[in-house]
Amino acid sequence: MARRTRSDVNLLRLAELLQAHITPALCHAAFGRVRRSERQRVWTLTALVQFWVAVILRAPKALSQALADGLEQREPLFPPVTATPEAFFQRCRDLRPAFFVEVFERFTARVLTAVPPRYAAEMAEVQARFAALVVFDGSRLAAIARRLKLLWDERAVVLPGCLLGVYDLGRGLCRGLVFDPDAAASELKRAVAALDRLARDTLVLGDRLYCTAAFFEALHEHGCWGVTRRNHQLGLRKLQRLRKRRVQGGLLEDWLVRAGSGVSAPAQTLRYIRWRRGGTRYEVLTNVLTPARLSAEEALDLYPYRWGIERMFFDLKEVLNLNRVYAANPNAVAMQVYAAAIVYNGMRVAQSEAAEQLGWPPERISPAKFFPRLAVACHLHLQEQQWERQFRRRQPRAHLHRRRARRPWAHTQRTIIDVERRSESRRHRRHCPARRHWKSLAHVRGGRRLLAKLS
């Protein structure tokens, strides 16, 4: 009987990326760009980034436990900083999150060039026509477990902030992330501001919130394109029918329309694409007026990929434990958010390369199964490096032999990380009445003064 071949997946890629890019040189360059009056302290910039990355990888029960593990060197992931926990919390309170934003952007810029677009391979032909294909969406963070003193008399659930994500559809990376400590901040305003960091000729996917004349005007000013789901609050005036035909048993229509009233924003000339079959209707709007560059069928096929950013938020919150906010300080919350985004991008690069090795599409690998093994491999890899340093320090002339067979944690079988097919019986989201009764920190007495002090 022939022996069945087994293809293993390398689990050390995440550790290699973090060690190669999260360096003192990168941290000092980021600090030099955003520095105002901050100074270096016992908690150096590199140690602070490494600590928060280790918090995402290990998910400790509390920050005090993680600080104790690092001080006593029980956990190699945490940097051994000889300082009190009070010094750490003071550092998190005084250091503006702009430093972590800069570190995240520099790390993302490096890994973007290291991985080709392998995700959403079905839309590769459309991606090749634009500079990039990204998805915009917002999300709110979960409530803080440890409440501030000014929240003791507040009965409503106070959320520590909200996020605006920019998801790269082809590379599967979080290309941009905007954290706002005001959970009730306008998502559309943050999205318009995020367009400044996109390259010209980028195609943006958005839900109905972005279907406004103002957003399409902002896309035009930045030289970008958009595909959004139709919002019926936006008035349309049909100018010309470009196409009408039967597709998949339904009627497909492509119209040239004038959108908006011109009061709050200039009216826009857009394409209105609609597919109807019985009671089923799909409607999208786009400012790509040339059907040769983006056909009506491609626009309709492209919009469902917007759910990729929902999976990104799910992985950040559930897989990388961002649903558990450790600190109540808004600056510390931002540090945890951007550290999770750094780990997420490293994980997605490792997932893309593992899928290429197996000959799979990257979506076939389950992040919920893949990330815990990556985290364990990072922990044991650093533990092995620490043991080697101690061994060479004690016996400098001894020769150390290592065998690959002695490192079973560095690889895993492909059947273990294969995504499970969704069953027919769907699990419904549990209703929580408290979700309707929430407040932003900015709407609490003394909250705006705290946010202004920390910004």
Side-chain angles (χ1 to χ4, degrees):
M1 182 177 179
R3 185 177 180 181
R4 182 179 299 176
T5 60
R6 187 182 69 185
S7 179
D8 291 341
V9 176
N10 181 21
L11 296 177
L12 296 179
R13 184 56 176 153
L14 177 58
E16 294 170 355
L17 287 170
L18 295 177
Q19 286 185 326
H21 298 299
I22 305 299
T23 60
L26 183 141
C27 294
H28 285 298
F31 184 68
R33 182 172 181 178
V34 302
R35 179 183 181 184
R36 289 181 184 171
S37 59
E38 298 89 350
R39 296 182 298 170
Q40 287 276 17
R41 299 186 182 275
V42 177
W43 270 97
T44 63
L45 302 171
T46 309
L48 196 62
V49 175
Q50 290 175 350
F51 176 82
W52 279 109
V53 169
V55 167
I56 302 301
L57 290 171
R58 297 300 291 167
K61 292 184 178 180
L63 291 180
S64 56
Q65 175 188 351
L67 291 169
D69 290 343
L71 183 61
E72 299 175 9
Q73 298 186 9
R74 292 195 300 258
E75 172 59 67
L77 282 173
F78 296 108
V81 178
T82 57
T84 61
E86 289 77 12
F88 167 78
F89 290 110
Q90 183 180 4
R91 184 65 162 158
C92 292
R93 183 193 63 193
D94 297 338
L95 183 64
R96 294 181 300 115
F99 165 68
F100 268 74
V101 175
E102 188 68 22
V103 171
F104 162 72
E105 291 179 352
R106 289 174 179 264
F107 177 81
T108 303
R110 292 187 178 187
V111 298
L112 272 174
T113 60
V115 55
R118 297 191 181 107
Y119 291 84
E122 300 84 359
M123 293 287 109
E125 186 177 348
V126 178
Q127 296 178 38
R129 301 179 199 150
F130 299 91
L133 183 54
V134 300
V135 187
F136 275 28
D137 201 8
S139 180
R140 293 188 180 94
L141 294 176
I144 304 174
R146 175 178 172 272
R147 296 168 68 92
L148 291 170
K149 184 180 293 186
L150 59 88
L151 304 179
W152 285 358
D153 297 331
E154 187 64 46
R155 292 193 174 187
V157 176
V158 178
L159 303 185
C162 57
L163 305 175
L164 176 77
V166 181
Y167 176 72
D168 191 307
L169 192 64
R171 291 177 173 82
L173 300 177
C174 179
R175 196 156 190 163
L177 192 65
V178 181
F179 167 75
D180 195 316
D182 184 2
S186 172
E187 179 182 335
L188 194 59
K189 290 182 180 179
R190 288 177 287 134
V192 172
L195 293 175
D196 293 333
R197 302 186 180 182
L198 293 183
R200 296 184 66 87
D201 205 38
T202 297
L203 181 62
V204 179
L205 298 181
D207 57 11
R208 284 180 291 190
L209 176 68
Y210 301 95
C211 186
T212 63
F215 186 72
F216 278 106
E217 175 66 18
L219 287 173
H220 176 71
E221 292 177 356
H222 290 82
C224 296
W225 311 98
V227 175
T228 66
R229 187 177 176 182
R230 183 190 175 184
N231 189 342
H232 287 274
Q233 293 182 355
L234 179 66
L236 302 180
R237 182 166 60 90
K238 295 180 179 179
L239 302 178
Q240 178 186 359
R241 185 164 62 188
L242 304 176
R243 188 180 176 192
K244 180 180 179 181
R245 61 170 296 188
R246 287 280 175 180
V247 175
Q248 296 181 357
L251 181 63
L252 176 65
E253 294 180 280
D254 190 357
W255 288 85
L256 195 66
V257 298
R258 194 70 174 166
S261 60
V263 178
S264 58
Q268 303 294 311
T269 302
L270 305 174
R271 283 171 62 203
Y272 169 50
I273 302 169
R274 178 177 64 186
W275 181 84
R276 294 179 298 170
R277 186 178 65 183
T280 305
R281 175 179 295 191
Y282 298 110
E283 299 172 300
V284 297
L285 288 170
T286 178
N287 61 344
V288 183
L289 303 182
T290 308
R293 192 172 191 190
L294 184 68
S295 66
E297 292 88 348
E298 289 173 337
L300 291 173
D301 292 340
L302 188 62
Y303 183 76
Y305 286 91
R306 193 201 66 82
W307 286 98
I309 196 170
E310 302 291 352
R311 295 298 309 178
M312 182 191 79
F313 284 130
F314 177 84
D315 292 339
L316 284 171
K317 294 181 178 182
E318 297 291 338
V319 180
L320 301 185
N321 204 33
L322 199 56
N323 264 338
R324 176 180 173 82
V325 182
Y326 285 95
N329 186 287
N331 282 358
V333 174
M335 293 178 185
Q336 182 180 350
V337 165
Y338 287 106
I342 290 172
V343 176
Y344 174 82
N345 282 346
M347 177 189 71
R348 296 291 276 183
V349 172
Q351 181 179 344
S352 175
E353 295 180 355
E356 179 69 15
Q357 175 188 349
L358 297 174
W360 287 358
E363 293 85 358
R364 188 173 172 181
I365 295 179
S366 170
K369 298 178 180 179
F370 192 47
F371 173 72
R373 287 166 175 78
L374 289 175
V376 171
C378 288
H379 165 73
L380 296 177
H381 179 63
L382 293 180
Q383 195 172 41
E384 183 184 61
Q385 289 181 342
Q386 185 182 35
W387 178 84
E388 286 184 6
R389 287 193 297 267
Q390 295 175 355
F391 179 83
R392 296 184 188 281
R393 192 181 305 115
R394 294 172 183 174
Q395 301 182 18
R397 297 184 178 181
H399 189 68
L400 187 64
H401 293 277
R402 287 193 308 177
R403 293 183 179 178
R404 187 176 180 181
R406 296 180 181 177
R407 306 169 71 196
W409 42 266
H411 296 81
T412 187
Q413 300 179 21
R414 59 182 181 179
T415 55
I416 298 177
I417 59 175
D418 195 358
V419 67
E420 296 181 6
R421 290 183 175 272
R422 179 176 290 184
S423 61
E424 294 297 331
S425 58
R426 305 293 177 86
R427 180 171 61 89
H428 294 281
R429 186 174 186 176
R430 186 174 59 183
H431 175 68
C432 180
R435 290 179 57 87
R436 297 182 179 179
H437 305 285
W438 63 271
K439 277 188 177 181
S440 171
L441 189 61
H443 297 160
V444 180
R445 180 181 297 179
R448 289 193 180 277
R449 186 167 61 252
L450 174 64
L451 297 182
K453 181 181 177 181
L454 296 173
S455 62

